[in-house]
Amino acid sequence: EAQVTQNPRYLITVTGKKLTVTCSQNMNHEYMSWYRQDPGLGLRQIYYSMNVEVTDKGDVPEGYKVSRKEKRNFPLILESPSPNQTSLYFCASSFKTSGTGELFFGEGSRLTVL
Amino acid sequence: GENVEQHPSTLSVQEGDSAVIKCTYSDSASNYFPWYKQELGKRPQLIIDIRSNVGEKKDQRIAVTLNKTAKHFSLHITETQPEDSAVYFCAAADTGFQKLVFGTGTRLLVSP
């Protein structure tokens, strides 16, 4: 089954404790992206990647890191989480390298930073 | 960069009525406009999209219209059903920048 898998789905952590949210897709997609969803703000792009070893900042990259060492994986790293990073996070992938084809989203990861 | 505004933020209709959600964008270079539906507790999913060389596109009960001159596009849902209740997001992208910018979402509630 074609899918985008995120882990963990739910996480409660404390300020400053490094964490990684994993994302994996099995559709051989070139393009992958991370979004955060907050009430009233919609979906805001954090980082995106057009191919292996190619990443770029989205609209809200501060406090986040990503890597794309393999085509299928695109982990999101919070080196020192803060309460303002409490949010619902979605990973997405697309066949089109421009990101202007259909985006396939993961199920989301709800992160709470205390 | 691109900025997408979406209205209304909430929309309540009776089953069988039509619903219209409107979006405006700022970057005249944007040429791709998708709409995503997010049911409660679920992931967003693409329901329809339109490219700038087309003025209107239909798929059964949903349609999207694009006015490039005014830089706005709209989602039209006819004969609404309770299962249409969800949050709808519009988005715009400039293929040259490989970025998709989303609107803030519209919560549609269809009452039986």
Side-chain angles (χ1 to χ4, degrees):
Chain A
E1 180 188 355
Q3 58 185 1
V4 179
T5 303
Q6 296 178 225
N7 280 295
R9 295 285 317 282
Y10 302 91
L11 179 64
I12 300 175
T13 190
V14 295
T15 298
K17 186 175 182 181
K18 180 180 178 180
L19 67 92
T20 298
V21 186
T22 63
C23 175
S24 180
Q25 51 93 5
N26 64 359
M27 295 171 279
N28 201 36
H29 284 169
E30 302 283 347
Y31 184 93
M32 297 186 75
S33 183
W34 276 102
Y35 294 87
R36 61 178 288 175
Q37 183 175 9
D38 301 289
L41 298 177
L43 292 158
R44 294 181 293 167
Q45 191 175 47
I46 303 171
Y47 269 94
Y48 64 98
S49 169
M50 291 183 286
N51 211 329
V52 174
E53 302 292 0
V54 179
T55 64
D56 209 345
K57 296 178 180 179
D59 295 317
V60 288
E62 295 79 18
Y64 305 95
K65 288 175 58 178
V66 293
S67 67
R68 187 90 182 273
K69 294 184 171 59
E70 303 167 285
K71 195 173 186 178
R72 63 183 292 127
N73 296 324
F74 191 45
L76 179 69
I77 303 158
L78 285 72
E79 293 272 3
S80 183
S82 62
N84 64 11
Q85 292 179 296
T86 293
S87 187
L88 177 60
Y89 292 88
F90 285 101
C91 178
S93 70
S94 174
F95 175 71
K96 283 186 177 283
T97 55
S98 66
T100 55
E102 179 175 1
L103 279 173
F104 292 86
F105 285 85
E107 292 183 291
S109 297
R110 186 167 293 282
L111 171 65
T112 301
V113 183
L114 302 176
Chain B
E2 176 65 274
N3 182 52
V4 178
E5 294 190 358
Q6 183 172 348
H7 299 281
S9 57
T10 58
L11 179 59
S12 294
V13 300
Q14 292 291 123
E15 183 176 1
D17 288 349
S18 294
V20 180
I21 302 170
K22 299 181 179 181
C23 290
T24 59
Y25 61 99
S26 61
D27 189 348
S28 57
S30 288
N31 51 17
Y32 174 66
F33 307 92
W35 287 86
Y36 284 79
K37 175 183 180 182
Q38 184 180 29
E39 296 178 356
L40 188 63
K42 301 287 182 66
R43 72 192 83 189
Q45 292 186 294
L46 180 71
I47 55 171
I48 195 168
D49 58 14
I50 191 169
R51 298 187 185 269
S52 59
N53 58 346
V54 176
E56 182 176 4
K57 185 177 180 180
K58 289 183 179 180
D59 183 2
Q60 299 182 345
R61 296 187 297 108
I62 60 173
V64 57
T65 58
L66 172 64
N67 183 328
K68 287 177 60 180
T69 303
K71 290 191 283 188
H72 67 69
F73 55 112
S74 301
L75 178 71
H76 304 253
I77 306 174
T78 58
E79 300 173 22
T80 54
Q81 302 168 4
E83 51 264 39
D84 293 328
S85 296
V87 177
Y88 292 81
F89 292 99
C90 63
D94 170 7
T95 53
F97 285 97
Q98 296 103 20
K99 286 176 61 174
L100 193 63
V101 178
F102 285 86
T104 51
T106 295
R107 183 173 300 278
L108 173 64
L109 176 62
V110 181
S111 303

